[in-house]
């Protein structure tokens, strides 16, 4: 892996590299700090302290009133599944832009699921839960959450630590550590009221009895450290992403930019009419760049993205779209080179027909 150049990694919406400062914070907890955070002896107490500090760091970034409202999970997929099977049994409204872990779960568990835009304000049926993601992982659109009279959930995976987003009046929010330079396999669920959800994993009573299983102390500590760093440097990260996306755009005046009126600077969705997104991903890869033609969890699927189509793209446009997602390790020079690579590749692929 040593030959990989992180400045050319433009798939930060799929995952971010571990920040070296986060790695440093995690290291003791993979070594002498191996205690079980539920044990009452000194090793356990030390691990418990580290977990609770991380809970405070994440709660602060979320704007949660109390750290006890944050439960650690394995990531946003788990948190989304938990809310949508643990908190709702009948009618839920889900925006058409949701991640597949929301869309599929609501369809599997809900007696009366509703995926669509219409009727957000006029509620045709009694909505028990509305789920609207904070930032769309495919387009970077920042979505407003029309609060329903029941419970409100937001998948904040692409928003937390990136755009100024906080839980506000929400009842539930989901997020993952590896989208903000923390480790993979750890994330969280914000619960305004712990009594509003059923236990997800039964076992040793961890996480106030709602999610059993020995805590991933090193991962949780890493998530806490990543949250604290994101809080400190959010403005800097955003300004950096803005400059990089402009550089890619400047090189590609003929591509259609799928920006929303309110847009996260970290994601750039570009459509190259007449081409396929995959062919551009392959060309970029051959030049040492990582970009994507859709979310990593949907790669290999042949259908055009339902999210892009809900955002107003035609089927052909959805197939001709790439996602470029910016992060801390990218440089302006690499962004310009990526922009040029995309422009030249699009020209030569168009000639090949
Ligand atoms: N929601 C959104 C908006 C995402 O972008 C992702 C990751 N692609 C997830 C949920 C799932 O996150 P994880 O794979 O960490 O569980």
């Amino acid at each position: 892996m040593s030959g990989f150049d992180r400045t050319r990694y433009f798939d930060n919406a799929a995952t971010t590299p571990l920040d070296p400062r986060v790695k440093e914070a995690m290291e003791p907890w993979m070594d002498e700090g191996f205690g079980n955070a539920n044990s009452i002896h000194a090793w356990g107490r030390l691990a418990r302290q580290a977990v609770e500090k991380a809970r405070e760091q994440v709660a602060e970034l979320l704007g949660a009133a109390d750290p006890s409202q944050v439960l650690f999970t394995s990531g946003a997929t788990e948190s989304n599944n938990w809310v949508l099977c643990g908190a709702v049994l009948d009618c839920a409204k889900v925006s058409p832009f949701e991640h597949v872990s929301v869309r599929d779960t609501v369809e599997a568990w809900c007696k009366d699921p509703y995926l669509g835009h219409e009727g957000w304000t006029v509620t045709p049926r009694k909505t028990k839960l509305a789920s609207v993601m904070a930032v769309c992982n495919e387009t970077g659109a920042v979505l407003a959450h029309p609060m329903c009279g029941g419970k409100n959930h937001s998948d904040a995976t692409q928003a937390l630590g990136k755009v100024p987003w906080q839980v506000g009046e929400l009842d539930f929010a989901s997020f993952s550590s590896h989208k903000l330079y923390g480790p993979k396999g750890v994330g969280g669920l914000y619960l305004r009221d712990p009594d509003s959800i059923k236990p997800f994993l039964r076992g040793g009573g961890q996480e106030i009895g709602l999610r059993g299983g020995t805590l991933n102390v090193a991962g949780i500590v890493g998530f806490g450290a990543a949250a604290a760093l994101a809080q400190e440097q959010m403005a800097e990260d955003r300004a950096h992403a803005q400059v990089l996306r402009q550089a890619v755009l400047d090189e590609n005046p003929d591509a259609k930019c799928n920006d929303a009126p309110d847009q996260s600077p970290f994601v750039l969705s570009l459509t190259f009419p007449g081409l396929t997104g995959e062919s551009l991903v392959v060309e970029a890869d051959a030049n040492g760049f990582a970009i994507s033609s859709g979310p990593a969890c949907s790669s290999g699927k042949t259908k055009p993205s339902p999210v892009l189509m809900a955002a107003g793209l035609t089927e052909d446009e959805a197939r001709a779209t790439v996602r470029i997602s910016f992060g801390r390790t990218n440089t302006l020079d690499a962004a310009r080179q990526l922009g040029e690579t995309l422009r030249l590749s699009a020209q030569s692929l168009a000639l090949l027909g």
Side-chain angles (χ1 to χ4, degrees):
M1 295 294 286
S2 59
F4 281 66
D5 176 356
R6 290 185 185 200
T7 68
R8 295 163 92 89
Y9 177 82
F10 287 91
D11 199 13
N12 291 277
T15 194
T16 49
L18 195 66
D19 188 296
R21 295 164 291 181
V22 170
K23 189 175 171 202
E24 199 180 306
M26 291 171 69
E27 266 159 7
W29 305 100
M30 292 186 281
D31 195 357
E32 74 272 21
F34 60 83
N36 184 322
N38 269 42
S39 303
I40 56 170
H41 49 59
W43 281 268
R45 293 198 305 274
L46 206 65
R48 166 61 57 188
Q49 268 172 19
V51 165
E52 296 314 321
K53 179 179 165 203
R55 207 184 299 279
E56 284 167 20
Q57 289 167 315
V58 174
E60 190 168 342
L61 183 61
L62 288 168
D66 197 287
S68 66
Q69 294 171 310
V70 176
L71 301 187
F72 290 111
T73 66
S74 66
T77 298
E78 178 187 322
S79 305
N80 287 339
N81 271 263
W82 188 357
V83 169
L84 292 159
C85 20
V88 203
L89 287 170
D90 42 25
C91 179
K93 269 187 172 183
V94 168
S95 96
F97 307 109
E98 297 305 304
H99 186 260
V100 67
S101 59
V102 168
R103 287 200 317 266
D104 279 10
T105 309
V106 84
E107 288 198 33
W109 283 92
C110 214
K111 284 187 218 131
D112 191 11
Y114 176 93
L115 286 101
H117 320 253
E118 311 96 44
W120 282 121
T121 44
V122 195
T123 311
R125 12 179 165 185
K126 211 164 164 262
T127 302
K128 295 282 170 59
L129 182 135
S131 184
V132 184
M133 70 201 322
V135 169
C136 176
N137 53 315
E138 297 193 42
T139 62
V142 178
L143 302 173
H145 192 121
M147 303 289 267
C148 77
K151 302 279 181 200
N152 290 279
H153 165 249
S154 185
D155 174 354
T157 309
Q158 298 290 343
L160 188 66
K162 299 199 164 185
V163 300
W165 176 93
Q166 295 212 312
V167 288
E169 299 297 305
L170 290 169
D171 298 287
F172 308 106
S174 311
F175 34 88
S176 275
S177 135
H178 68 105
K179 309 286 184 180
L180 52 144
Y181 307 92
K184 293 171 186 45
V186 57
L189 177 66
Y190 163 80
L191 280 181
R192 196 224 278 263
D193 170 11
D195 292 331
S196 58
I197 201 159
K198 290 188 221 145
F200 192 54
L201 298 174
R202 291 169 204 275
Q206 288 89 349
E207 298 300 82
I208 53 169
L210 293 176
R211 184 187 188 268
T214 301
L215 294 177
N216 168 8
V217 178
I220 290 170
V221 167
F223 186 14
L229 285 169
Q231 179 119 335
E232 261 171 55
Q233 65 176 91
M234 195 186 303
E236 192 187 319
D237 285 348
R238 282 167 63 78
H240 182 57
Q242 197 66 53
V243 171
L244 302 177
R245 82 192 315 273
Q246 194 54 52
V248 176
L249 276 170
D250 288 347
E251 287 286 343
N252 289 279
D254 296 335
K256 176 175 172 275
C257 171
N258 301 313
D259 272 7
D262 193 359
Q263 179 67 29
S264 161
F266 294 95
V267 179
L268 174 59
S269 168
L270 285 181
T271 302
F272 291 82
L275 302 180
T276 63
E278 271 103 359
S279 61
L280 283 162
V281 172
V282 169
E283 286 295 315
D285 183 43
N287 286 280
F289 291 104
I291 61 167
S292 71
S293 58
C297 36
S298 305
S299 54
K301 291 192 180 154
T302 47
K303 283 192 185 155
S305 154
V307 170
L308 292 179
M309 287 166 63
L313 276 70
T314 63
E315 202 166 304
D316 285 347
E317 285 174 333
R319 287 189 205 278
T321 297
V322 293
R323 179 185 71 180
I324 300 151
S325 45
F326 304 98
R328 287 181 193 157
T329 61
N330 300 130
T331 57
L332 180 55
D333 202 33
R336 283 195 187 116
Q337 285 175 38
L338 170 64
E340 189 185 22
T341 300
L342 288 174
R343 178 170 46 76
L344 297 175
S345 304
Q347 282 164 2
S348 49
L349 286 166
L351 283 177
L352 287 173

